[in-house]
Amino acid sequence: MSKEPVRNAIRDAMAEEMRNDPDVFLIGEEVGEYEGAYKVSQGLIAEFGDKRIIDTPITEAGFTGLAVGASIAGLKPIVEFMTWNFAFQAIDQIINSAAKTHYMSGGLVNIPIVFRGPNGSALQVGAQHSHDLSSLFINIPGLKVVSPYDSTDAKGLMKSSIRDPNPVIFLENELLYNEVFEVPDIDYTIPLGTASIKRSGTDITITSFSRGVRAAMEAAELLYKKNISAEVIDLRTLRPLDTETIINSVKKTNRIVSVEEGWMSSGVGAEIISSITSSAFDYLDAPPERIAALDIPLPYASNLEKLCIPDKENIYNLCMTLF
Amino acid sequence: MKQDNDFSYLIDLLGGGRRLAKNLSSFTNLTLNEKTVYSWKQQGIPDKWKPAIIKLLIKSGNDVPELFFPPGMNIYNFNSSLSESNVLLSKYKDFKRDKITNENIKSFHKNMLFLRRFEEKVGQLYGLGLIGGFCHLYIGQEAVSVGIEAAIEKDDNVITGYRCHAHLLSRGASPYKILCELMGKDEGISKGKGGSMHMFAPENNFWGGHGIVGAQVPLGTGLAFASKYKNKSSLSVTYFGDGAANQGQVYESYNMASLWNLPVIFCIENNQYGMGTSIKRASAGTDLSKHGESFGIPGYAINGMNPISVYLGALKAVKWVRDGNGPIILEMKTYRYRGHSMSDPAKYRTREEVQKMREEQDPIEFIKKELLDNSIYDDEKIQNIDNKIRAEINDLADKAKNAVLSKEDNLYKDVLFYGEDN
Ligand SMILES: Cc1ncc(C[n+]2csc(CCOP(=O)(O)OP(=O)(O)O)c2C)c(N)n1
Ligand SMILES: [Mg+2]
């Protein structure tokens, strides 16, 4: 094991896959000479050169479409969005071109491509730069949606995403890039579509993903002090969702709270609770609950911003109402 | 016998007095009645209307008689939309230096200095942790906003990207409210909910403050569309950067603006870098003022480090647009001294490059020299003005620091609009 920040884990995954497969390349704004606006691609241009680490103009719709075209022709692009907010410029190419082509062609054409970048809110960057796109993408058949929390998962899931023959949406988080976690020294991958139990418990299940996992773990610690044993599930992949792991957990704990940093309406929590009520209804001892960002565009002022994203206290308080 | 310079028949060619009056009015947004057009049959067609008439002739597939063009105008190949508009533009005289009064120079100086000191203060406050998030300073580019503002009217519309503090100030928005916004205060221009990148001042016809690179360009085109739709004489100044100039929606906007003859000045602030990427690495054609050519939009580049050049160049563009000729592109060659935002290590350019621009092309140093050379001010007066501006900004900043934070009841307000009274 060695300790690595999430930023490096993602970079190392890309580098290893690029070494193994000459068809893999990275394209996006400032990924090359600047080494990434958030330094995720640090060192890559030195190793792979500008043929495979490609700086684009600010032209998201164009380079996303170009990358989808290249993957139609057999290449395996990794498209970096400086942040996912800017992918709205390119959303048509992701949804209409990347997600639907395999189906529309009756399986004749496939699109092996990874779209990645930091997702969700950072600190005080305002409404247009703080969008969490996870629930938007889980609505789309033809996409896989991944959103890791720690370095081990980020690396293993990134490698699987690059090898996957389908379009994969890979949602990172700026505020996790600097967080350091252990990473195995061996060559490994983590299969898409599998959740991970971060902490096992018997009294309540808390699901989350990405940065929300940290708040969920902290809330579990607070609950523990009240003699409540919480099981924390890191979803890791949002589509396909590992409902089996969630349902098995609820069968044991009989309570569930879903935590997400995006908005509540038609969100990840809605999807999880719907699965639980149809598959494990009889096991529930309390209504399934969810917590999410306030239902407003994210304000700039830091005192207001803090009120918008669920923290450990909010999660703890919600859990306590279920007993 | 018809004389060589009798062009009254063109009026009939274009459908007669009533039709032509109507077409010219809607084409140019100026009002014109049927009688006036009939009177041209006797008195000749005034020069002012000739450009629009030439455009109509070309549009309707008619030849333009060579003598109808004023002397010196080159009409070869005028069927391409590019040459057509360039031919017309060449009829517009350049505004000359003699147009500049001492008052102009004084106000350029004062306004640019205010922007500079304001942004320096913002940089300091950011360093102290009183401002957060993304914050993009305008230092180095002051001549652009100041020169343009001098050439337009208050009821013209202005829109830009996230580097917006200066444009707001130039429009006349309150520096105190901007400082409050930057510090997330309740008195902020967006109640603390927008921050550095998202500020709006409808009373000053300033429409943001947009964080998505290039997105303001169709919006600005829409402002122009609304002016034309409502028969207003106002135009839209739509600012964007050299990096933004690569977004597809810029070209979609050029096309619509030209197709529908919209009163918009596309003002490209070419500071030579889009974040860490120099224009040479991002644009296949770096002559940004020429990017409208295939849409028939003329344009020219201006030294954006010189407020006098900006002002004179903008006057011509304003006249062009107000005469009903449709859009124009101004490329301001300018430079930002600071990083792209506050968190930019700026390894993509050398210190020397920045230093050289500061020393040789600084717009404020330039205008100071104008003041001194023309004996408008002496050194002492210039120093006094600077001191006064610094003191004013310090006071405003201190007051803003002590203002209350954005209140919690702002959280749920303004998601949807429920009418003025709610
Ligand atoms: C659609 C979109 N893509 C990327 C970004 C990130 N970004 C913010 S500013 C910027 C550079 C823009 O450069 P330019 O248009 O030249 O304006 P300047 O900053 O030089 O004023 C980039 C890439 C963004 N905000 N929006
Ligand atoms: Mg620029």
Side-chain angles (χ1 to χ4, degrees), chain A residues 8-48:
Chain A
N8 295 8
I10 296 168
R11 190 261 324 266
D12 294 347
M14 293 194 287
E16 286 173 20
E17 292 308 300
M18 286 183 69
R19 280 174 214 132
N20 288 339
D21 185 344
D23 288 342
V24 178
F25 67 96
L26 175 68
I27 183 168
E29 289 158 20
E30 308 287 3
V31 296
E33 290 190 16
Y34 200 86
E35 307 197 292
Y38 298 99
K39 300 287 172 233
V40 175
S41 50
Q42 195 140 37
L44 294 187
I45 192 151
E47 179 174 352
F48 299 102

Side-chain angles (χ1 to χ4, degrees), chain B residues 74-102:
Chain B
N74 196 344
I75 59 162
Y76 70 89
N77 204 10
F78 60 79
N79 273 324
S80 92
S81 50
L82 154 66
S83 332
E84 175 197 326
S85 53
N86 276 353
V87 165
L88 293 183
L89 185 65
S90 70
K91 223 186 90 58
Y92 278 70
K93 66 178 191 331
D94 285 327
F95 287 86
K96 291 277 156 45
R97 171 67 207 236
D98 58 20
K99 180 111 182 102
I100 302 292
T101 64
N102 286 355

Side-chain angles (χ1 to χ4, degrees), chain A residues 29-30 58 60 82 85-86 89 129, chain B residues 136 141 162-163 211-214 240-245 247 269 271-275 336 340:
Chain A
E29 289 158 20
E30 308 287 3
I58 307 170
E60 288 86 1
M82 191 179 284
N85 303 281
F86 314 141
Q89 296 287 320
H129 281 74
Chain B
H136 310 81
Q141 301 180 208
Y162 41 84
R163 201 181 295 285
I212 302 303
V213 169
F240 52 103
D242 48 293
Q247 287 285 35
E269 296 195 70
N271 59 14
Q272 302 178 42
Y273 295 89
M275 218 161 190
R336 70 168 153 74
H340 164 72

